[in-house]
Amino acid sequence: MNQRIIYPTDDGGVSVIVPAAECGLTIEQIAAKDVPVGKPFKIIEASDIPSDRTFRAAWTADFSEVTA
């Protein structure tokens, strides 16, 4: 699966969910199950996640147009 689910953390960061390839669920089902209730989220391509994790705590994302 080449998609990831992102959602904002309570402290202003971004959480990334990496689905297991053989879990048997769609990306939407995984988001419904794993994203905390009431949190906005986005489904994005894995290639959109920075490969350098050095400053991961400073990652941001625009959640103004998202699924909730």
Side-chain angles (χ1 to χ4, degrees):
M1 193 174 285
N2 289 324
Q3 294 178 309
R4 303 293 184 256
I5 303 161
I6 61 171
Y7 65 90
T9 63
D10 291 337
D11 62 358
V14 177
S15 283
V16 179
I17 298 174
V18 180
E22 293 107 20
C23 73
L25 299 173
T26 66
I27 192 85
E28 292 82 6
Q29 290 170 323
I30 295 167
K33 178 178 76 68
D34 292 338
V35 174
V37 174
K39 289 280 186 183
F41 67 90
K42 284 186 169 184
I43 297 170
I44 63 171
E45 293 301 315
S47 60
D48 292 336
I49 305 270
S51 58
D52 182 357
R53 296 172 54 97
T54 305
F55 298 106
R56 181 172 177 176
W59 290 355
T60 61
D62 179 5
F63 292 98
S64 62
E65 294 183 28
V66 295
T67 306

